[in-house]
Amino acid sequence: MITLEEAVERHSGVLFKYCYGILCDYYEAQDAVQETFARAFTKQASYREDTNYAGWLYRIAYNTCIGILRKKRFHLYEEIEKPYTTPDNSLSEEMLKALAALKPRDRALVFSRAIDDMDFAQLESVYNVSAATLRKRYERAKKKLQKHLNGGSQNG
């Protein structure tokens, strides 16, 4: 079993980007990552060795982020109205605005698939949804992004 220290060292950077992609808030993302590791530590007995450890952490992180959004009484399907930036400025302003227009679950999927380069088999364990469903959801999210990037002039 991986130690908490090893998990933090290996996964904190990607989990922060992932949580930030969902929450769109630097400090909330930091809190979410800390909460993710705390939950992973307390739930380590429930981790099954036959599953992907990173996927297990992503699932905890996703549930943590959604919980934070619920606690703040954000409607999970509203667009984000505050400025949306990444800590490393790795995405263009247009892409950030397009991502902000997505639902949190779709942003999470886009970040984990496109930015973290997870395959659909890994994502299946993170989201507890079939790979086929995730493919369709991802394709719809990509179309929404493309439409937003094209100024809403494209159909679909």
Side-chain angles (χ1 to χ4, degrees):
M1 178 55 125
I2 187 171
T3 67
L4 180 60
E5 185 177 290
E6 291 171 327
V8 169
E9 188 176 306
R10 288 184 196 171
H11 302 286
S12 62
V14 294
L15 285 177
F16 175 78
K17 283 183 185 178
Y18 178 72
C19 292
Y20 188 82
I22 297 170
L23 298 168
C24 306
D25 183 283
Y26 183 86
Y27 298 106
E28 287 179 353
Q30 285 182 323
D31 291 346
V33 171
Q34 289 178 0
E35 181 67 24
T36 296
F37 286 118
R39 288 181 182 181
F41 182 74
T42 60
K43 295 180 178 186
Q44 63 187 345
S46 69
Y47 172 69
R48 293 188 341 252
E49 293 289 331
D50 62 332
T51 60
N52 179 293
Y53 189 77
W56 183 67
L57 285 175
Y58 269 86
R59 183 169 177 79
I60 295 170
Y62 175 77
N63 289 331
T64 300
C65 290
I66 296 302
I68 288 170
L69 290 172
R70 284 185 180 140
K71 283 179 188 172
K72 289 182 68 172
R73 295 180 181 240
F74 278 138
H75 189 278
L76 292 180
Y77 304 108
E78 288 180 349
E79 289 187 18
I80 295 170
E81 295 183 14
K82 62 185 174 183
Y84 182 42
T85 61
T86 56
D88 61 1
N89 295 318
S90 60
L91 299 174
S92 71
E93 185 177 333
E94 294 80 15
M95 179 57 83
L96 293 171
K97 286 179 182 178
L99 284 166
L102 295 178
K103 298 172 186 176
R105 72 174 192 173
D106 292 338
R107 278 197 309 273
L109 181 60
V110 168
F111 266 82
S112 52
R113 175 72 181 121
I115 295 172
D116 293 338
D117 201 30
M118 295 177 77
D119 62 37
F120 287 105
Q122 291 171 306
L123 294 172
E124 194 171 31
S125 68
V126 172
Y127 297 105
N128 203 26
V129 176
S130 74
T133 299
L134 290 171
R135 276 188 191 91
K136 287 195 179 283
R137 189 183 296 166
Y138 180 69
E139 289 303 317
R140 283 193 301 266
K142 280 188 356 184
K143 285 181 183 178
K144 287 178 188 175
L145 281 173
Q146 188 63 45
K147 182 177 178 182
H148 199 64
L149 289 169
N150 290 336
S153 62
Q154 183 178 339
N155 290 333

